[in-house]
Amino acid sequence: MSDIRKHPRTPHHPLSLGKGSDDKTSKTVDADFYSREVVVLEKMDGENTNLYRHAWHARAIDSPTTVWRERVARRQSAIGGYLEPHECLHCENVWAQHSIRYDALQSDLYAFRMRNGQYMQTWDHTVERINGRNDMIMDWEMPELFIAIPKVLYRGPYKPELAMQLEFNPNMSEGWVMSNV
């Protein structure tokens, strides 16, 4: 069985600003996160991209080649060998302008989760792997291979009122996404 598969769409929280008419909205958010530790990330406006040891793809596995995807292909060829055989790094490719123009990004690729085979890894594991890989990249003095981590807006126990307390700039992000830690 192939480990190559597209990342599922992440439903927006019902109160997350910045969702478009084609975005899915969670109808069970309180039940999904009740009594769990969550991490809330700034949602970047780009193209879902998945990196593997020997391959990569945009959200659609058979997406056509574009200039911004060629950049991802070069990055994957340089760092893919540092991913374990069944690992997948789920990212947002923000090189091309979509609805938001970014001027001061840390990178054009933002990693938001790792998967090993069928299993999503914890947030802490994802951050540890990305930071370790980025340390190696800086040792190589190749900052163009750096992969950023989205801004963490909140980490802690889920609270229904959390959505009303989050702040973000709608000119710089699509809103926010929440997941289990």
Side-chain angles (χ1 to χ4, degrees):
M1 181 175 95
S2 173
D3 289 322
I4 295 178
R5 65 187 84 161
K6 69 183 196 176
H7 186 274
R9 289 186 72 161
T10 304
H12 285 260
H13 188 283
L15 300 176
S16 175
L17 302 175
K19 62 184 179 245
S21 60
D22 65 335
D23 290 326
K24 293 170 70 174
T25 301
S26 175
K27 299 191 182 351
T28 61
V29 69
D30 288 339
D32 293 343
F33 295 110
Y34 181 75
S35 77
R36 295 185 184 205
E37 184 178 6
V38 298
V39 62
V40 180
L41 305 175
E42 182 176 57
K43 185 168 186 335
M44 306 297 291
D45 180 32
E47 177 178 61
N48 183 275
T49 301
N50 302 285
L51 301 177
Y52 304 87
R53 186 179 193 116
H54 299 294
W56 72 275
H57 62 85
R59 172 175 288 288
I61 294 172
D62 59 352
S63 299
T65 301
T66 61
V67 172
W68 60 90
R69 290 181 185 142
E70 287 174 4
R71 292 172 58 89
V72 173
R74 286 192 300 272
R75 183 174 292 170
Q76 185 280 328
S77 69
I79 66 168
Y82 295 92
L83 294 172
E84 297 298 323
H86 300 286
E87 278 185 325
C88 175
L89 182 59
H90 298 288
C91 304
E92 195 75 5
N93 177 4
V94 294
W95 184 80
Q97 182 176 334
H98 294 267
S99 59
I100 297 174
R101 177 183 169 88
Y102 294 110
D103 292 320
L105 293 172
Q106 294 178 311
S107 173
D108 57 3
L109 205 58
Y110 280 74
F112 57 87
R113 192 61 84 168
M114 286 199 80
R115 177 172 46 85
N116 192 335
Q118 298 179 44
Y119 303 101
M120 287 295 184
Q121 301 299 294
T122 66
W123 173 247
D124 292 334
H125 177 81
T126 299
V127 170
E128 180 181 311
R129 290 283 283 134
I130 296 305
N131 286 339
R133 197 204 60 75
N134 281 337
D135 288 345
M136 175 185 64
I137 295 299
M138 291 306 146
D139 288 344
W140 292 348
E141 297 182 10
M142 298 179 77
E144 68 276 8
L145 298 179
F146 183 81
I147 296 176
I149 296 171
K151 181 178 177 182
V152 175
L153 301 175
Y154 174 81
R155 180 181 174 155
Y158 173 75
K159 306 177 274 190
E161 66 274 11
L162 179 62
M164 304 306 280
Q165 299 168 349
L166 294 171
E167 294 183 21
F168 78 99
N169 180 344
N171 297 318
M172 295 304 295
S173 80
E174 287 188 311
W176 48 269
V177 292
M178 182 184 321
S179 65
N180 295 321
V181 171

